[in-house]
Amino acid sequence: MINSVIVADSSPLISLAIIAQLELLPQLYQRILLPTAVWDEVTIQGVGLPGAQAVSQLT
């Protein structure tokens, strides 16, 4: 069953990116909401850290 919406937090995003499984989110959820604060935490403040590159490439 596919759930309709998820609001992503940084820890699960980073964990999924590290194990190369970010593609699971759109398989499980129709809509993925990524708050600006989470995006900034992972991709800007976390530049160079595990998961930052993969998350920054999400569209």
Side-chain angles (χ1 to χ4, degrees):
M1 181 173 136
I2 295 180
N3 296 304
S4 59
V5 178
I6 185 172
V7 178
D9 191 22
S10 59
S11 295
L13 283 176
I14 293 166
S15 297
L16 287 170
I18 289 171
I19 62 171
Q21 295 298 313
L22 279 172
E23 70 275 359
L24 287 175
L25 291 176
Q27 292 175 12
L28 296 171
Y29 299 94
Q30 294 173 342
R31 190 167 176 211
I32 303 160
L33 302 177
L34 187 60
T36 304
V38 173
W39 175 266
D40 290 347
E41 179 182 348
V42 176
T43 63
I44 296 171
Q45 297 172 12
V47 69
L49 296 175
Q53 177 75 21
V55 172
S56 71
Q57 295 174 350
L58 294 175
T59 55

